[in-house]
Amino acid sequence: MATSLPAARHLARLVGTSDSRKALRVGAQIYINFMSLTRRSGWLQGHISKQAARDPIKADQARRALLTAAERHLTFADLFSGKGALRRDVPRAVPTRDTSVVWCADLLRPQGSIAGRLEDPSLHHRGAPYSPSTAWYDHQQHRLLQSGARFEQATKARGWLRTPEQGARATTALRRFDADGSGIVTAGERDLALSSWQADYDATARAFERSTGTRYRHPPGTLPTEPERLHSWATWWADLQARVGITPPQKQTADRPAKAAKLADAVASQASFVGRVLALGPRIITDAWIDRAITRYGQFLELARKDPGATLVPTLDIDLIWHVHMLSPRDYRDDCEQMLGRLLTHDDQKSDKELAGAFEATSGKWAEMHATPYVWRANHVDHRYYAFCGSCGWGEELFHSNLGHREVEATQVEAIYGHSDADGGLVSDADGGLAEPELWATDAPAADAAEDPWAAPASATDSEDYWYSSSDTGGSGSSWGWGSSDSSDSSCSSCGGGCGGD
């Protein structure tokens, strides 16, 4: 019997498909690119903040940086939500990377999301393909177009002159940016989409800075430990308020520090999950891996339907798709109601002892219901098919130390990439970020990248018969296809998506 999947209709509408599996696959691609791009814009700080016993000074600095990001996110919601003071001025406000991280972590707690006002129906931007439910995805899909490191290069001859059109193949992840429907996102189409989004970003920054007197955008990969004050004619009113002790309306609520602390906790709780996903890299987490995870998530929801009182603890792959679903909050609420009759809480705050018992119970229930194992505890012959252990978004060191996934995943990474830098997905690289064997996202200018699908190849017009081709410089089975299951013969090459900015 086929596995039932959530409809995810709002996310499907955003990416231009009626297929819920494709919508969830694209959501995973957008989400993983986002995690890679923001690994030093909140996730690393979340990990360091939990290491007070190892380095209390760095842990304190990291915690203050998270609290600052959380406060900025709350201010963003105050200013640009449905009833925000600046919503009419900036109807499509663009979050920075750090506020996007906090927004993401907040959405992963659907039972107690703090900044849900950002999905107010009145935020719908006239003529936009996204709904308020997919606002987070809309911005991160633009960041994918801007900074994604793995697109599929394509060239297509058009018109009676057989003029070559070159760019990135318009897979489901990029299709909304293919303005002429040619099947290729050209450099011009990319620039057109990004120019509109960047204009909204600039307008958001101006409005935020005028209102708060603090800097909105920071250099990529940096996270300040306190707001950076600006002093200019554009912020004179905010500066005057600060001098006379009149704080802006968004800072007057007594529970605001508690809200910021909860948001900082939410980011820290997911830092290990992010590190573990990034440590596996794009040769392990392929489209086929994601498709299996989507199927397993559907089976996980079936478990939740049949045993509504049970605490179900997901594996890493299932939790990834669970995150993808929750990041479209209206889809998540609607689909849970339709499939389960209730909201499925992402309750990752239980004690390690409780989680250990619940994980074993979940494995047993899975074995009774499905023909496939919940976790392959021994290495599979093909390392790509290992289903992983309990998700690192759940529990702390005691729970995970008994699961054995650190050793298994280190072996897996070494088998696929020829080396292993992973230690449970939490090893920092030379720049102080989370380790990645190969990047999903890049801040490097396109000229510095190995391949750029928006740079026309010299040989594009060598053959009159050249109609449609894909670069395969990434090597068979060694690269992320960005929707490669859309086409059976596709492969991808690593490319620069341009400077990601902040």
Side-chain angles (χ1 to χ4, degrees):
M1 188 175 76
T3 301
S4 296
L5 298 177
R9 62 185 183 90
H10 292 287
L11 178 58
R13 178 173 178 258
L14 174 73
V15 301
T17 182
S18 58
D19 185 329
S20 62
R21 180 178 291 274
K22 282 187 178 181
L24 292 170
R25 184 193 308 136
V26 171
Q29 294 167 348
I30 294 171
Y31 181 36
I32 295 173
N33 183 84
F34 167 77
M35 287 190 283
S36 176
L37 187 66
T38 58
R39 58 195 179 277
R40 300 183 189 93
S41 298
W43 304 121
L44 177 65
Q45 290 81 0
H47 171 57
I48 294 173
S49 72
K50 298 186 292 183
Q51 308 300 313
R54 181 179 302 175
D55 193 328
I57 295 177
K58 283 188 177 180
D60 178 68
Q61 290 175 335
R63 178 66 178 180
R64 287 189 287 116
L66 289 181
L67 290 171
T68 297
E71 172 60 39
R72 280 162 50 82
H73 174 62
L74 289 170
T75 301
F76 179 87
D78 286 340
L79 295 176
F80 303 113
S81 66
K83 296 182 180 179
L86 301 178
R87 184 190 67 83
R88 292 186 180 275
D89 297 335
V90 189
R92 190 191 184 191
V94 178
T96 56
R97 292 187 190 183
D98 62 313
T99 54
S100 294
V101 166
V102 178
W103 188 358
C104 169
D106 188 31
L107 290 174
L108 299 183
R109 294 185 175 185
Q111 68 274 23
S113 179
I114 292 172
R117 292 166 294 166
L118 289 169
E119 57 173 291
D120 189 301
S122 62
L123 275 173
H124 187 77
H125 186 53
R126 182 173 298 177
Y130 63 90
S131 75
S133 178
T134 55
W136 185 89
Y137 271 117
D138 173 61
H139 296 305
Q140 310 321 322
Q141 191 178 25
H142 280 82
R143 284 194 165 97
L144 167 65
L145 181 67
Q146 182 186 53
S147 61
R150 297 182 176 275
F151 294 117
E152 188 176 338
Q153 198 172 53
T155 301
K156 185 175 183 179
R158 305 193 70 195
W160 65 277
L161 290 177
R162 310 284 285 172
T163 304
E165 181 178 72
Q166 194 269 342
R169 189 168 78 85
T171 61
T172 309
L174 298 180
R175 188 175 298 150
R176 66 178 287 205
F177 305 117
D178 180 15
D180 62 2
S182 66
I184 294 176
V185 179
T186 65
E189 289 170 329
R190 174 177 180 264
D191 291 345
L192 179 65
L194 289 178
S195 64
S196 174
W197 182 74
Q198 189 64 52
D200 289 332
Y201 205 169
D202 293 342
T204 306
R206 289 192 298 269
F208 186 98
E209 291 176 354
R210 281 198 304 267
S211 177
T212 67
T214 61
R215 186 175 302 282
Y216 187 59
R217 287 180 285 201
H218 298 280
T222 64
L223 201 61
T225 56
E226 59 184 24
E228 181 182 346
R229 298 292 306 174
L230 297 173
H231 301 286
S232 70
W233 66 268
T235 61
W236 68 271
W237 177 241
D239 288 340
L240 179 61
Q241 287 180 310
R243 287 177 183 175
V244 299
I246 303 175
T247 56
Q250 64 267 18
K251 293 188 178 181
Q252 292 180 355
T253 57
D255 62 343
R256 195 174 184 87
K259 287 183 177 180
K262 287 183 179 179
L263 290 169
D265 290 343
V267 175
S269 72
Q270 294 302 323
S272 297
F273 169 87
V274 172
R276 195 165 152 204
V277 169
L278 295 182
L280 293 173
R283 298 195 205 178
I284 293 174
I285 304 183
T286 61
D287 273 353
W289 190 100
I290 289 175
D291 276 339
R292 283 190 299 275
I294 292 171
T295 298
R296 283 163 55 84
Y297 176 60
Q299 294 170 329
F300 184 81
L301 292 178
E302 180 65 12
L303 272 184
R305 185 186 69 80
K306 291 194 172 183
D307 196 348
T311 297
L312 301 178
V313 180
T315 54
L316 183 73
D317 56 335
I318 291 172
D319 205 22
L320 174 67
I321 307 304
W322 196 354
H323 287 198
V324 168
H325 197 191
M326 288 186 287
L327 290 171
S328 182
R330 188 168 300 174
D331 279 333
Y332 189 69
R333 289 197 301 269
D334 292 349
D335 293 339
C336 280
E337 183 62 33
Q338 193 275 324
M339 299 180 75
L340 309 177
R342 71 188 194 283
L343 183 72
L344 182 61
T345 61
H346 192 250
D347 191 4
D348 55 5
Q349 298 304 298
K350 294 183 180 295
S351 70
D352 282 0
K353 185 176 181 180
E354 288 179 286
L355 288 175
F359 184 68
E360 288 301 319
T362 304
S363 300
K365 294 175 188 295
W366 184 281
E368 293 175 5
M369 182 174 292
H370 304 300
T372 57
Y374 196 51
V375 173
W376 278 277
R377 296 198 181 275
N379 289 345
H380 194 279
V381 173
D382 186 337
H383 294 277
R384 294 172 298 174
Y385 288 85
Y386 173 58
F388 307 103
C389 282
S391 174
C392 276
W394 294 64
E396 297 296 341
E397 179 64 26
L398 178 62
F399 170 50
H400 291 278
S401 64
N402 296 321
L403 296 181
H405 63 255
R406 287 180 174 86
E407 296 78 10
V408 173
E409 288 170 12
T411 301
Q412 185 181 25
V413 169
E414 187 169 9
I416 297 295
Y417 298 96
H419 60 83
S420 175
D421 296 322
D423 179 16
L426 293 174
V427 171
S428 297
D429 60 22
D431 296 326
L434 300 181
E436 292 184 86
E438 289 182 2
L439 295 177
W440 272 286
T442 178
D443 280 321
D448 295 339
E451 296 288 341
D452 181 0
W454 287 285
S459 60
T461 58
D462 286 352
S463 171
E464 292 184 1
D465 297 327
Y466 194 79
W467 168 250
Y468 195 103
S469 73
S470 300
S471 168
D472 61 358
T473 57
S476 175
S478 64
S479 58
W480 182 292
W482 284 129
S484 61
S485 54
D486 290 353
S487 172
S488 61
D489 62 350
S490 63
S491 57
C492 80
S493 59
S494 177
C495 77
C499 181
D502 187 43

